[in-house]
Amino acid sequence: MAQSLTGSRYELHVTRQGAAETKSQDYYKIHSGDMEEADDAGDDIVGHVHSWEVGSTVDGPGLRFVAFLTGCFLRCQYCHNPDTWHKHNGRPVTVARAMQEIKKYAQVLKISKGGITISGGEPMVQKAFAMQIFKRCKQLGLHTCIDTAGRLGERMTDEDLSYIDLHLLDIKSGDPVIYEQVTRQPLQPTLDYARRLSDLGRPMWVRYVLVPGLTDGFDNVEKVAEFCAGLKSIERVEILRFHQMGKDKWEQLGLEYPLKDVEPPSPELSERVRGQFRSRGLTVY
């Protein structure tokens, strides 16, 4: 557990245990190990971590310490981290070990008005581990942020949410059929979670990945924009332009990348989509 996890989200990581699990199973399926929830054992909880980055400016306000956990139920066509789908692909780290690393940067994170962001994968797969990190970071006076698709939002209690200052909530489609085409999962849990955050007044930034030919349909975007306009605690919408930076990982894992021939969205398409959100009075980036 003493190995360094500092690196990049774009580096491929597969552990020996993760490789053994996936060798005999369908990589797209949710494996039994992904479903297991750890008991809350405080500092001794062992989480599974892909990597962490220090100094990110794209995962919440200010400079961020970003921890990428493994395990996710979604199978997004444009996922740039398919090596995080299965929990045991991550390297084991205790809460105590993670906090030892975070504390090194606590002062500079506070000075920069930044903090800690837990991403993935999907952090809620490892809810007990993530919450222990958040609670300890709040004790240090750090701003806390979670990057989530909300699929497992029912796992989070209202008390849990009180330790999370900001949600980066990925809403990948407004049309349920397209959402399932993109992710192989249903849309409704994400919408339910967003409404719950809104009702509780928990701040959120909604993220929308713009993929030509997949999520760019005018009516589909309209549905997302209209939904976001009804969220009372939304602070901004971020339009994330599709890129090909995950392609190599798919190939290294022996997976057929479904979007290998798709180009990034044009400036004109990107502006049209931003305009659809702005027309509802939303702040858009």
Side-chain angles (χ1 to χ4, degrees), residues 133-195:
I133 299 295
F134 282 141
K135 289 175 182 179
R136 282 157 175 72
C137 284
K138 291 307 297 178
Q139 291 170 359
L140 294 176
L142 289 174
H143 180 275
T144 55
C145 177
I146 189 170
D147 184 358
T148 178
R151 173 66 178 86
L152 301 174
E154 74 281 353
R155 290 188 176 183
M156 308 295 283
T157 68
D158 289 357
E159 181 183 359
D160 291 333
L161 298 180
S162 71
Y163 292 99
I164 301 173
D165 294 316
L166 176 65
H167 276 71
L168 305 181
L169 182 63
D170 298 312
I171 302 181
K172 302 169 189 292
S173 169
D175 183 314
V177 174
I178 296 174
Y179 191 93
E180 190 161 345
Q181 179 186 353
V182 172
T183 69
R184 301 192 179 197
Q185 289 289 316
L187 169 61
Q188 196 59 48
T190 296
L191 301 184
D192 292 343
Y193 190 62
R195 290 193 185 100

Side-chain angles (χ1 to χ4, degrees), residues 25-270:
Q25 301 182 60
D26 181 346
Y27 197 83
Y28 282 92
K29 288 185 177 178
I30 298 169
H31 299 172
S32 58
D34 304 328
M35 301 287 290
E36 298 166 358
E37 294 188 61
D39 294 328
D40 193 334
D43 279 359
D44 293 329
I45 293 179
V46 175
H48 294 81
V49 180
H50 173 278
S51 59
W52 49 53
E53 294 178 10
V54 182
S56 170
T57 59
V58 296
D59 299 282
L63 292 178
R64 313 297 298 181
F65 182 107
V66 187
F68 295 92
L69 308 190
T70 47
C72 186
F73 289 5
L74 276 60
R75 300 291 180 259
C76 298
Q77 290 191 34
Y78 48 72
C79 180
H80 59 253
N81 284 325
D83 50 340
T84 66
W85 289 357
H86 301 299
K87 185 169 67 176
H88 290 149
N89 273 355
R91 291 167 285 188
V93 179
T94 63
V95 169
R97 169 73 180 90
M99 290 310 303
Q100 180 183 16
E101 193 71 16
I102 293 168
K103 286 176 182 177
K104 295 179 185 177
Y105 307 99
Q107 193 59 30
V108 70
L109 294 174
K110 284 190 278 191
I111 290 172
S112 76
K113 301 188 186 305
I116 172 83
T117 298
I118 300 184
S119 185
E122 170 52 67
M124 292 181 192
V125 169
Q126 300 191 57
K127 182 234 177 181
F129 179 76
M131 289 312 306
Q132 285 295 336
I133 299 295
F134 282 141
K135 289 175 182 179
R136 282 157 175 72
C137 284
K138 291 307 297 178
Q139 291 170 359
L140 294 176
L142 289 174
H143 180 275
T144 55
C145 177
I146 189 170
D147 184 358
T148 178
R151 173 66 178 86
L152 301 174
E154 74 281 353
R155 290 188 176 183
M156 308 295 283
T157 68
D158 289 357
E159 181 183 359
D160 291 333
L161 298 180
S162 71
Y163 292 99
I164 301 173
D165 294 316
L166 176 65
H167 276 71
L168 305 181
L169 182 63
D170 298 312
I171 302 181
K172 302 169 189 292
S173 169
D175 183 314
V177 174
I178 296 174
Y179 191 93
E180 190 161 345
Q181 179 186 353
V182 172
T183 69
R184 301 192 179 197
Q185 289 289 316
L187 169 61
Q188 196 59 48
T190 296
L191 301 184
D192 292 343
Y193 190 62
R195 290 193 185 100
R196 181 180 168 205
L197 294 176
S198 176
D199 291 342
L200 292 171
R202 304 307 304 173
M204 70 183 100
W205 295 0
V206 168
R207 290 177 152 184
Y208 188 74
V209 181
L210 177 59
V211 185
L214 185 63
T215 65
D216 62 336
F218 186 88
D219 290 343
N220 185 40
V221 175
E222 284 288 282
K223 288 182 173 69
V224 182
E226 189 64 28
F227 177 78
C228 288
L231 299 174
K232 294 174 287 188
S233 59
I234 188 171
E235 295 183 347
R236 65 201 279 184
V237 175
E238 295 185 337
I239 305 302
L240 306 182
R241 300 174 72 248
F242 167 73
H243 56 70
Q244 289 281 358
M245 294 181 72
K247 180 181 177 182
D248 288 347
K249 280 192 179 184
W250 285 70
E251 293 175 348
Q252 290 176 66
L253 291 168
L255 303 175
E256 178 71 22
Y257 186 48
L259 303 177
K260 60 184 177 182
D261 297 322
V262 177
E263 296 292 330
S266 66
E268 293 78 14
L269 175 58
S270 301

